[in-house]
Amino acid sequence: MKMENKDITRMYSMILTLGLMVGMTGCANVEQVSDSTDGTKVAEETTVEETSAAQGANDNESDSRESNQTADDGFIKKEDIKINETISNSTGGGHAIEVDGKEESYSNVAVTKNGEADGDEADFYGENSAVFATNKATLNLNSITVDTNGTHANAVFSYGEGTTVNISDSYIYTSGNCSGGLMTTGGGMMNANNLTILTDGNSSAAIRSDRGGGTVTVTKGSYTTNGTGSPAIYSTADITVNDATLTSTASQGIVVEGQNSVTLNNVILNADNNKKNSDKSDYYQAVMIYQSMSGDADKGTAAFTMKDGKITNKNGDIFFVNNTVATIDLNNVTISNEDKDGIFLRAQAAGWGNEGSNGGNVTLNATEQTIDGDIVVDSVSTLNIYLKDSSTFTGAINTNKDGGAVYVELTSGSVWNLTADSYIASLTCDSDSINLNGHKLYVDGKEYSSGTKSVGTSVEANITTKSDKNSANSNESSTDSGKAKKSDSSSSTDSGKTKKSGSSSSTDSSKAKKSDSSSSNNGSSSDGTHKRPDKKPNKKPDDNKSSDNSDNSKAGSNSDDNKTKKLHQMNDEGK
């Protein structure tokens, strides 16, 4: 039977796409070759075509990606969107759509973007993104598709305080490394509703932010990443997701860096962290909270909050906290760890920060929550865990005796079922709160007696307030306010949490940003590329060149951070 020409074309496209995916490298290699293209940028080439041409160009691509899309038919598909025109750009650093300082709206448009860009300019300031808004612009997008092919080719980018991007009922696909789906920096705002986002490249989060952060709100839809170092969410901002499905197939599901937050409401999170871009930690996890010392995120208390919904973890631990103070709030979340060797929470030093003070300092608030799995807190880390409103913890804490200080508080009918001998520093509980199950519980070195009521006090975070002169982040903030504290019957986060405010980042002198009022820095150049600020941002250390090989043996020397140039995007182990 003779094969139709269209079928032959589709088959060739599938083979070509597979070859490109197999040949993809990490962002370190990509950045090394990207400079060679910077000097050969051509004038902007933006075209608008008729519907038939748009559909024809997209047909060859869609079939090869179908197998990577989520199987839930309830999510929007590319073919669901009626396209009336195509807007394309192939200029290195250029944009298909750029809105500067005004309000514009687009609907039923197919946006395509090819081309390369430097990491700093793309990740901080939006060069080479398919869709770009800046300088207090408002950009409304409805029923569009966005396809990008190239390194540092983010799909939809909101840059700068006062800038707002609203996008709904749309489909986004990025194939290249360092190419996020939604990108927000410099205090911008991103509001997304009912999207399907798929990224195949390394270091390409579906929902992504970088230096300067901002505020991101996502409601409904499906957000899937297939690349190494590509969590579904990488947050250096305040990111809230409601009623959506997040999936990572080769990275953490969520990464929060520094004094920033991720809030999930009735979200399904599927994480399969099975590949590494960094040698800074030996462990895999679904949720990672840390401080990279790169200068991209303020120091302070990081926050992860989840109410209802479900976490399913394929490999490793559920939570990992390193080199920061963090608050984790869980309320009625179904948590399933399919790795029998994985634990629930690991607060432990790794390859970021200063040795001796780079552990994880965690306040964990559990409300109507079931927790299964052990907890490990190393000698430079701390944990205050508050189990409230009939919460249940089944597991052990620091079975090796040598861990850091841990305080456990059980109130309002909450119960701890021990699965092995455990060692903590302080305990508050009723007489019926602890089920030893034949094991021993040691509190401040003394064995706890079954059926005993106890009253204890919280532990302070193991942090330093001394300025770290060698750190890449020169804006060393005081960490006293980030200490974990007990808060009587209410959540300890109210007093212990130093939260980044909304979208404002103007007080952070270490963040390199463009002035919103400076037209010379926010306008477009004659070739259609977005101009960078007068000040180039500080370079970040490069994890792939780090000499750190394990989680504990070389825990984050300052010289490692300063010797190496950092990739300006997400790695599976962070930055």
Side-chain angles (χ1 to χ4, degrees):
M1 183 176 189
K2 183 178 290 186
M3 185 176 290
E4 297 292 338
N5 290 337
K6 187 174 182 182
D7 294 330
I8 295 173
T9 302
R10 289 184 176 181
M11 178 176 292
Y12 176 78
S13 175
M14 292 174 68
I15 294 171
L16 179 60
T17 301
L18 178 61
L20 289 173
M21 291 175 63
V22 170
M24 286 193 303
T25 60
C27 287
N29 294 330
V30 171
E31 284 198 317
Q32 290 171 5
V33 301
S34 64
D35 290 342
S36 65
T37 64
D38 290 344
T40 60
K41 291 178 181 176
V42 296
E44 181 182 17
E45 298 176 357
T46 302
T47 61
V48 179
E49 302 170 351
E50 297 300 322
T51 305
S52 59
Q55 297 289 38
N58 292 331
D59 279 347
N60 290 338
E61 300 172 350
S62 59
D63 289 347
S64 63
R65 301 175 199 153
E66 195 68 32
S67 61
N68 288 327
Q69 296 182 34
T70 177
D72 192 328
D73 291 337
F75 299 127
I76 196 164
K77 296 180 177 62
K78 189 172 184 178
E79 56 267 28
D80 295 335
I81 300 172
K82 180 181 178 182
I83 299 300
N84 294 329
E85 64 181 21
T86 292
I87 304 177
S88 300
N89 178 275
S90 58
T91 303
H95 313 292
I97 294 175
E98 178 174 352
V99 180
D100 189 342
K102 57 185 177 180
E103 181 170 359
E104 289 189 9
S105 299
Y106 292 82
S107 61
N108 303 106
V109 171
V111 179
T112 63
K113 175 75 181 87
N114 298 309
E116 313 290 328
D118 177 75
D120 288 357
E121 302 301 327
D123 295 337
F124 294 165
Y125 309 115
E127 274 197 1
N128 209 48
S129 57
V131 179
F132 179 67
T134 188
N135 198 21
K136 300 183 180 180
T138 298
L139 175 58
N140 303 305
L141 306 166
N142 176 257
S143 297
I144 71 168
T145 66
V146 183
D147 289 79
T148 75
N149 182 13
T151 57
H152 297 284
N154 294 291
V156 179
F157 202 117
S158 176
Y159 172 78
E161 293 181 17
T163 300
T164 301
V165 174
N166 303 307
I167 178 170
S168 61
D169 300 321
S170 297
Y171 176 95
I172 292 172
Y173 173 74
T174 69
S175 63
N177 294 340
C178 315
S179 301
L182 302 178
M183 184 69 159
T184 308
T185 70
M189 181 174 290
M190 180 77 68
N191 299 311
N193 182 65
N194 192 32
L195 307 184
T196 292
I197 295 181
L198 173 65
T199 71
D200 275 342
N202 299 334
S203 298
S204 301
I207 302 167
R208 181 182 183 190
S209 63
D210 210 306
R211 185 166 293 192
T215 304
V216 180
T217 303
V218 175
T219 302
K220 298 182 180 178
S222 171
Y223 307 82
T224 302
T225 62
N226 290 323
T228 303
S230 301
I233 298 176
Y234 191 102
S235 175
T236 59
D238 292 315
I239 298 177
T240 300
V241 180
N242 307 299
D243 304 310
T245 296
L246 308 174
T247 303
S248 63
T249 66
S251 176
Q252 295 98 342
I254 309 289
V255 175
V256 184
E257 180 182 355
Q259 189 178 314
N260 295 290
S261 66
V262 167
T263 300
L264 306 180
N265 296 308
N266 194 36
V267 165
I268 297 173
L269 172 62
N270 302 304
D272 188 2
N273 184 197
N274 53 57
K275 297 180 181 178
K276 292 180 180 291
N277 272 356
S278 169
D279 58 5
K280 289 178 179 285
S281 173
D282 291 337
Y283 302 101
Y284 296 100
Q285 56 282 139
V287 179
M288 175 174 169
I289 306 172
Y290 84 124
Q291 170 59 261
S292 74
M293 313 295 285
S294 68
D296 293 338
D298 290 345
K299 290 185 178 181
T301 301
F304 176 85
T305 301
M306 188 167 184
K307 179 176 172 55
D308 301 326
K310 182 176 182 179
I311 299 174
T312 300
N313 185 48
K314 298 288 187 181
N315 188 47
D317 307 330
I318 302 295
F319 292 100
F320 175 53
V321 182
N322 164 254
N323 195 38
T324 193
V325 178
T327 299
I328 299 172
D329 291 294
L330 301 173
N331 187 335
N332 192 38
V333 180
T334 301
I335 301 175
S336 174
N337 194 347
E338 296 180 0
D339 185 344
K340 62 182 180 60
D341 296 322
I343 66 173
F344 176 75
L345 168 65
R346 188 183 304 276
Q348 188 165 323
W352 298 275
N354 300 318
E355 186 173 359
S357 62
N358 62 338
N361 296 278
V362 185
T363 297
L364 171 61
N365 300 295
T367 304
E368 299 180 8
Q369 183 63 46
T370 298
I371 295 173
D372 290 304
D374 291 350
I375 293 174
V376 172
V377 180
D378 76 357
S379 61
V380 295
S381 302
T382 60
L383 170 65
N384 290 285
I385 177 171
Y386 300 86
L387 297 157
K388 298 169 287 187
D389 298 337
S390 301
S391 293
T392 300
F393 168 41
T394 301
I397 299 176
N398 281 351
T399 59
N400 62 3
K401 308 180 185 180
D402 298 325
V406 176
Y407 169 66
V408 178
E409 179 176 304
L410 301 107
T411 58
S412 303
S414 296
V415 173
W416 178 8
N417 299 308
L418 271 73
T419 58
D421 293 352
S422 298
Y423 298 80
I424 63 176
S426 186
L427 173 67
T428 294
C429 68
D430 294 328
S431 59
D432 57 353
S433 297
I434 307 290
N435 294 323
L436 295 174
N437 296 320
H439 305 291
K440 294 181 179 180
L441 172 62
Y442 294 91
V443 181
D444 195 23
K446 299 178 181 178
E447 184 176 350
Y448 169 81
S449 297
S450 180
T452 303
K453 182 177 181 178
S454 179
V455 177
T457 58
S458 61
V459 298
E460 288 191 345
N462 180 23
I463 52 181
T464 178
T465 57
K466 183 170 68 174
S467 179
D468 177 10
K469 295 181 180 179
N470 293 322
S471 171
N473 185 355
S474 60
N475 186 30
E476 172 87 310
S477 61
S478 172
T479 52
D480 288 335
S481 61
K483 291 180 179 179
K485 298 177 183 179
K486 179 181 175 182
S487 180
D488 296 332
S489 59
S490 63
S491 169
S492 64
T493 56
D494 292 336
S495 61
K497 189 173 177 180
T498 310
K499 191 167 189 259
K500 177 179 173 185
S501 60
S503 61
S504 175
S505 56
S506 60
T507 59
D508 182 2
S509 60
S510 71
K511 292 180 180 177
K513 298 191 298 183
K514 289 190 273 187
S515 170
D516 286 335
S517 62
S518 175
S519 59
S520 63
N521 285 338
N522 284 294
S524 296
S525 63
S526 59
D527 68 353
T529 61
H530 192 70
K531 292 183 180 179
R532 73 185 184 203
D534 294 332
K535 266 190 175 179
K536 287 236 10 165
N538 294 328
K539 299 294 182 182
K540 310 180 217 174
D542 180 350
D543 281 342
N544 292 324
K545 298 178 183 178
S546 172
S547 60
D548 295 334
N549 294 315
S550 69
D551 209 9
N552 293 313
S553 61
K554 296 181 181 179
S557 64
N558 292 330
S559 60
D560 289 334
D561 287 332
N562 290 330
K563 284 179 182 177
T564 56
K565 176 183 176 183
K566 179 194 170 289
L567 309 176
H568 302 291
Q569 54 279 323
M570 297 74 64
N571 289 319
D572 69 334
E573 296 305 311
K575 301 184 177 182

